[in-house]
Amino acid sequence: MASGLSSGLRTTSFAPENDDARTANWLEAVNLGFHEQRGDPKHLPAEVDACQRDGRILTAVYDDTAPDSALDPAVPVATYATMVNSLNVGGGRLLPAHLVTAVTVRPTHRRRGILRSMITSDLQRAKEAGLALAGLTASEATIYGRFGFGAATSTAEIRMDTRGGLGFTSGTTGSIAVADSAKLRFLAPDIYRAHLERTNGAMGRQHRYWMRASAAWSEESFEPDKALRGVLHYNANGVPDGYAAYKSLGWRTEPHTVKVTDLVAASDDAYRELWRYLGSMDLVDRLTFDAAPVADPLPWMLADRRRYQVTSVDDVLWLRILDTRAALESRHYTGAGSVVLTVRDPLGMADGVWRLDVDGGNAMASPVEAGSAPAGAAAEIDVAALGSLYLGGVSAPTLAAAGGIRGSQAALEVLDALFTAGPAPYCSTHF
């Protein structure tokens, strides 16, 4: 029995395998938890292969005391999965991050310590393994703050009126071609890698993204998406540096709408030219995209920026600092300055007092002895607020107004200069 669990429950972690009932039952429990339809056995090998390619480790909690006629006790009452992928922490620096996903607890087994046991023991193991931070994308916004996660990036859902075509303020660069979907599957990872290396806040992607971009899988299933199309941008040297995947929502949709399901650009030119193509398609009145940057350059590229509308903004990446010193020293900084940070962590993983000195993009985080009076600007910060601040997606004064930071005006100004002076973070990857 895992520490902190009620009696009668047991937990185990394992790597996914084909022809393995334990893996199949774990996947079925995830479908149940997220209200998805039951899995089709014919798709199981592909689903397991994707998990293996992602390097996922699965955790399951079982209740062997299920009553007669209840769901097979071999199907877990709770699930949890982890993997490691790269996070751009500014300046092209890629930091390995411990990623948490597929977290479910059956309603019949809540308030029995299951989630707390799974997540606290996992985060401690990740820290001991040398990982500086953890990340997740949250289905519910109220769950993970108490475990020290803070919302760090957001995306905007946008729509654009394209009747008559979108006009742009600058001329075309490079070239555009409709993609061969089968070949896009193999081009997409390299294009995304270039995007990852240039984009603050971008996260390495899972195998399913390439399968969906190439229409081999649909958004809802492992069946091909026959409605999905792809387009590629080539730079002046003929090298692919951007792609978009899109599909019509059908002729019965008024106004006639094309949904952009994914758009990845490794250059500003590619970003503009992909949208130029999408905005020039005949018989289309509206474009929608649910993962645009909040600090989007697109409206500034348009001749008529009023055609661009933001319909909602949603958080994407949540970060949890595990090793404060390693996290602070790993990040690229645009500004310069010094501040003493007292980090408060209810789980005790990131607690401590650190003097952060930044110059030339690099940082040194020196521990401050307990009881010594900090010299210069100083602030106290909750670990969840540090996760939100880490990529620069929110200002220190805003977090101070929310109560996550307590410090002098001078300290808030230094924190802003250090953390938010660079490019706004953008993460379009869910996991």
Side-chain angles (χ1 to χ4, degrees):
M1 184 180 71
S3 175
L5 288 181
S6 302
S7 60
L9 301 177
R10 59 184 176 88
T11 186
T12 186
S13 297
F14 53 95
E17 296 181 9
N18 264 311
D19 301 319
D20 174 40
R22 182 172 58 174
T23 300
N25 286 329
W26 185 92
L27 292 168
E28 197 54 49
V30 173
N31 289 337
L32 176 63
F34 285 101
H35 311 298
E36 303 286 353
Q37 65 182 17
R38 292 177 177 84
D40 188 329
K42 74 178 181 181
H43 296 311
L44 185 60
E47 192 168 6
V48 173
D49 177 65
C51 289
Q52 292 172 336
R53 289 173 183 267
D54 295 341
R56 299 191 185 214
I57 298 297
L58 315 182
T59 294
V61 176
Y62 301 94
D63 184 352
D64 297 323
T65 64
D68 290 343
S69 302
L71 186 63
D72 186 348
V75 178
V77 298
T79 63
Y80 189 95
T82 61
M83 54 189 169
V84 175
N85 219 323
S86 298
L87 172 66
N88 187 316
V89 293
R93 299 184 186 184
L94 301 183
L95 182 65
H98 180 75
L99 306 183
V100 176
T101 186
V103 180
T104 72
V105 179
R106 205 176 294 174
T108 52
H109 287 72
R110 289 184 185 146
R111 296 183 173 49
R112 296 177 65 177
I114 293 176
L115 177 58
R116 177 165 291 275
S117 175
M118 289 193 299
I119 199 165
T120 55
S121 59
D122 171 64
L123 294 178
Q124 186 60 48
R125 286 192 299 269
K127 179 179 179 178
E128 292 168 358
L131 292 160
L133 50 81
L136 54 80
T137 52
S139 299
E140 295 183 57
T142 58
I143 296 175
Y144 296 102
R146 67 181 184 269
F147 298 109
F149 287 85
T153 74
S154 297
T155 54
E157 184 173 351
I158 63 170
R159 69 184 181 199
M160 286 186 289
D161 177 357
T162 62
R163 285 171 291 190
L166 288 178
F168 284 75
T169 58
S170 60
T172 60
T173 57
S175 60
I176 287 282
V178 174
D180 179 322
S181 292
K183 294 179 179 179
L184 180 58
R185 174 179 169 184
F186 301 100
L187 284 175
D190 289 337
I191 295 172
Y192 186 81
R193 178 72 183 187
H195 164 84
L196 170 65
E197 291 174 350
R198 75 185 291 267
T199 306
N200 177 37
M203 175 67 71
R205 279 189 163 178
Q206 312 91 274
H207 177 66
R208 65 181 170 91
Y209 272 95
W210 325 131
M211 302 301 287
R212 291 178 176 175
S214 64
W217 294 351
S218 74
E219 291 181 278
E220 298 81 19
S221 74
F222 295 95
E223 296 288 347
D225 190 340
K226 296 181 179 180
L228 196 72
R229 308 286 183 178
V231 61
L232 284 162
H233 178 264
Y234 299 80
N235 66 19
N237 297 319
V239 177
D241 65 349
Y243 73 85
Y246 63 93
K247 60 182 175 181
S248 169
L249 297 186
W251 290 110
R252 295 182 180 178
T253 303
E254 293 291 342
H256 184 212
T257 300
V258 163
K259 175 183 178 181
V260 180
T261 61
D262 194 16
L263 191 148
V264 173
S267 70
D268 293 336
D269 286 347
Y271 189 73
R272 181 182 62 251
E273 298 309 318
L274 289 168
W275 281 115
R276 192 195 303 270
Y277 170 84
L278 294 165
S280 69
M281 293 187 293
D282 292 334
L283 308 177
V284 177
D285 301 321
R286 175 180 288 174
L287 290 174
T288 65
F289 184 43
D290 64 6
V294 172
D296 195 349
L298 179 55
W300 304 98
M301 297 174 175
L302 298 176
D304 181 1
R305 68 187 322 270
R306 294 182 182 180
R307 292 197 177 201
Y308 178 104
Q309 291 184 309
V310 174
T311 55
S312 67
V313 175
D314 296 301
D315 55 77
V316 179
L317 181 64
W318 292 58
L319 291 181
R320 207 282 183 205
I321 306 300
L322 300 175
D323 183 325
T324 302
R325 183 174 191 173
L328 292 175
E329 292 185 343
S330 296
R331 187 191 190 277
H332 171 78
Y333 296 84
T334 301
S338 299
V339 65
V340 175
L341 280 180
T342 299
V343 180
R344 300 298 186 194
D345 182 357
L347 299 185
M349 297 181 189
D351 268 335
V353 184
W354 310 89
R355 179 179 174 85
L356 180 64
D357 295 295
V358 177
D359 189 36
N362 300 311
M364 177 178 293
S366 307
V368 176
E369 292 185 8
S372 61
E380 183 179 84
I381 185 168
D382 297 335
V383 68
L386 182 56
S388 295
L389 180 68
Y390 185 71
L391 295 174
V394 60
S395 72
T398 297
L399 290 170
I405 301 178
R406 283 79 59 192
S408 65
Q409 183 62 34
L412 297 180
E413 290 174 357
V414 172
L415 288 172
D416 247 7
L418 297 183
F419 285 89
T420 61
Y426 172 51
C427 179
S428 59
T429 300
H430 290 254
F431 51 89

